[in-house]
Amino acid sequence: MQLPSFARSLSARLLLLTVVFVMIAEVLIYLPSAARYRADWLAEKLASGHLAALAVEAAPDQMVTDELEAELLAHVGALSIDVTKPAGRMLMLAADMPPEPQARFDLRTAGPFTLIADALGVLAQQEPMVIAVTGRSPKNPDVLVTVTLNDRPLREGLWAFSGRILVLSLIISGITAGLVYVTLVYMTVRPMRRLVEAMMAFKRDPESAEPAAQLATDRSDEVGIAQRELIALQAAVRQAFRQRERLAALGTAVAKINHDIRGVLASATLLSERLLDSRDPEVRRNGPRILASLERAALLVSQTLDYTRDGVAPAALAPVDPRALVAEVMEALAAERSSQANGGGPALRNEVPAGLTIPAERELLFRGISNLLRNAVEAGATRVSVAAEPMGGMLRLLVVDDGPGLPEKAQAHLFQPFAGSTKPNGMGLGLSIAREVARAHGGELRLAETSGRGTTFAMTLPTAG
Ligand code: ADP
């Protein structure tokens, strides 16, 4: 895992998003201000139109020369001006044959959205137009003014205004984006990067506490919490690693000692068998007892050995047919039973469907399932069956018996090694080994049900490796 390049980093995305958001904000501000620019420009024309009309009104007989009329119109920038006064009196100034307006606008009824749309219309139109604008005179609301004019200056002014706003927007968004970016980089991205680096360093070398220690901070926000939590988490994991190493060393030692003791027990058993042939009746009588004790010791040693060996990750997973495996376990158990003095034993039923495969280490899984079946048989069940059902990517093996149910002591110490046995020779390892086997395969073992009518253990195992 490598940290991403700048283009794909969180910083670049934040920078881009900030620019986009600021530009959106600028557009939202620009639209009403462009509308206002146009409305003000037109209102100013109405005001000067009104003023020009007043000049005509002041003239004797309200008549002015053609030159003055043309001058007044040029001053306003209009082609014609109509002014209606409250009493209904009308005044009109017009050039010779003013052209017919191509569009008419009434500022009295235009709402904000119409004003925005009209301002955008001015920017969008290809050619300047002759327009007629009607509105109340800003100087006197009782006076209605209509001005006909060529909107070229309005278009040019609006374009220049938009250009200025665009440049300003770019500058503002650049500064804002820069400030937001720098703040985010210092407050979030950098600490996040350090967090990721510390995690990667921990993955490479879990023993070294240095990278995480550099994260130590007194920040009270979420980033500070994440950094402190990571330091604590790494310390806990490191502690667990050390403990695991110690346990592994202990396990190896136990396995070695067990191995030697097994050898010692084997030769002791061999020698003790000779006691049975002794001429001394006292020695002959005690011989079987000594042999039984030695056998028990050998059993305990081999069970402990199993426990220390199992529970590690399976060495090699291979496709296993669970039906065939269960059949094998049952055969082995039946053979064991028939060789013993009491013989017989319960009916074993294999209800696992044919044609399934799961990735497993055969030996390990054999031992896990065998422990569950043996427990059921030893508990005195008359019928033991193994069924299987798929359950979302997992296979659920159900070991069902009709025995007396788990004794209280076994339930209280369920799956605890060396703790839950109720049998004279038991070590309380069978169930914990079976659970470790399931877990080593990425599955789980649970007690599904236990009562006076029987017990069901459910072992889930992944169906894909
Ligand atoms: P061990 O077999 O060495 O005693 P286990 O961990 O396999 O250890 O089992 C612990 C105890 O749980 C057993 O001693 C037994 O009393 C009880 N037990 C396990 N499986 C069953 C079962 N299917 N029915 C009744 N009791 C059971």
Side-chain angles (χ1 to χ4, degrees):
M1 255 304 277
Q2 256 201 342
L3 284 174
S5 62
F6 176 75
R8 297 180 55 206
S9 67
L10 189 59
S11 337
R13 285 181 198 178
L14 286 174
L15 186 63
L16 189 71
L17 280 179
T18 320
V19 171
V20 170
F21 290 155
V22 174
M23 289 306 277
I24 291 175
E26 293 290 344
V27 167
L28 291 179
I29 296 170
Y30 164 75
L31 289 177
S33 51
R36 178 105 314 264
Y37 178 91
R38 172 178 167 275
D40 286 350
W41 194 90
L42 293 176
E44 197 225 289
K45 291 290 164 201
L46 294 181
S48 9
H50 185 196
L51 207 63
L54 287 179
V56 175
E57 208 174 12
D61 300 338
Q62 302 194 350
M63 287 293 284
V64 289
T65 59
D66 284 354
E67 289 87 61
L68 184 56
E69 189 172 16
E71 209 168 313
L72 283 170
L73 285 171
H75 187 77
V76 176
L79 299 167
S80 73
I81 302 168
D82 288 358
V83 175
T84 312
K85 299 218 155 188
R89 284 197 306 132
M90 279 184 57
L91 273 163
M92 224 182 113
L93 279 105
D96 299 339
M97 303 237 292
E100 190 56 26
Q102 290 160 279
R104 290 178 184 278
F105 299 100
D106 191 337
L107 293 187
R108 288 169 301 173
T109 53
F113 290 108
T114 317
L115 286 175
I116 289 176
D118 289 344
L120 292 178
V122 173
L123 290 172
Q125 79 200 28
Q126 301 287 334
E127 291 293 322
M129 291 198 302
V130 173
I131 57 169
V133 186
T134 308
R136 300 197 179 282
S137 164
K139 309 281 177 215
N140 181 357
D142 292 336
V143 177
L144 197 64
V145 185
T146 300
V147 179
T148 310
L149 46 83
N150 188 313
D151 74 353
R152 179 193 294 273
L154 172 63
R155 264 184 84 220
E156 287 170 358
L158 200 52
W159 269 113
F161 172 77
S162 305
R164 283 196 302 277
I165 293 271
L166 179 69
V167 171
L168 201 66
S169 304
L170 286 177
I171 294 172
I172 291 178
S173 63
I175 293 173
T176 318
L179 286 176
V180 171
Y181 173 73
V182 169
T183 317
L184 284 177
V185 162
Y186 275 93
M187 288 184 66
T188 315
V189 178
R190 278 221 180 159
M192 191 67 92
R193 240 167 207 263
R194 282 214 299 274
L195 216 60
V196 173
E197 276 164 4
M199 282 181 196
M200 294 194 316
F202 183 70
K203 196 171 127 193
R204 276 195 305 276
D205 176 17
E207 280 306 313
S208 164
E210 215 171 273
Q214 284 171 3
L215 291 177
T217 167
D218 49 9
R219 279 176 68 160
S220 59
D221 57 7
E222 287 83 346
V223 172
I225 295 174
Q227 291 177 333
R228 280 192 294 279
E229 286 298 312
L230 182 71
I231 296 175
L233 183 75
Q234 292 191 355
V237 172
R238 209 170 291 121
Q239 178 73 21
F241 274 164
R242 279 194 205 125
Q243 205 156 358
R244 204 179 63 173
E245 263 169 35
R246 283 174 57 86
L247 283 178
L250 202 66
T252 316
V254 170
K256 275 192 187 141
I257 295 168
N258 273 348
H259 185 261
D260 292 351
I261 290 181
R262 229 170 10 173
V264 174
L265 286 175
S267 47
T269 309
L270 215 64
L271 290 174
S272 315
E273 274 168 2
R274 296 227 197 113
L275 298 180
L276 298 179
D277 305 329
S278 167
R279 265 188 237 136
D280 183 344
E282 183 69 8
V283 173
R284 262 210 317 277
R285 204 156 46 81
N286 283 324
R289 280 205 217 139
I290 295 175
L291 266 179
S293 302
L294 284 174
E295 260 168 31
R296 180 159 179 249
L299 185 73
L300 295 189
V301 165
S302 78
Q303 282 188 359
T304 318
L305 205 56
D306 278 352
Y307 180 70
T308 49
R309 202 175 37 214
D310 299 334
V312 289
L317 293 177
V320 168
D321 174 353
R323 182 178 170 82
L325 186 73
V326 168
E328 225 175 278
V329 173
M330 287 180 168
E331 265 166 41
L333 262 183
E336 219 175 86
R337 290 258 115 189
S338 61
S339 72
Q340 282 170 9
N342 51 3
L348 301 175
R349 278 220 312 265
N350 184 356
E351 290 168 8
V352 180
L356 297 172
T357 40
I358 50 169
E361 190 186 324
R362 207 182 169 81
E363 274 298 297
L364 213 55
L365 198 54
F366 184 100
R367 254 203 307 278
I369 296 174
S370 159
N371 284 353
L372 295 178
L373 286 178
R374 176 168 302 152
N375 273 346
V377 171
E378 285 176 357
T382 59
R383 259 203 333 248
V384 186
S385 65
V386 183
E389 58 192 21
M391 209 182 65
M394 307 285 262
L395 185 73
R396 203 157 103 108
L397 283 179
L398 292 169
V399 179
V400 187
D401 70 53
D402 64 351
L406 250 69
E408 224 166 82
K409 181 182 172 199
Q411 285 191 46
H413 299 282
L414 194 66
F415 301 124
Q416 284 176 25
F418 306 105
S421 181
T422 60
K423 300 171 198 162
N425 282 349
M427 290 197 66
L429 283 178
L431 288 178
S432 37
I433 289 179
R435 169 175 262 195
E436 303 236 316
V437 166
R439 288 186 171 171
H441 283 86
E444 186 55 283
L445 175 68
R446 286 200 184 85
L447 173 64
E449 197 188 324
T450 186
S451 70
R453 276 170 292 136
T455 304
T456 303
F457 278 98
M459 182 188 273
T460 48
L461 293 165
T463 47

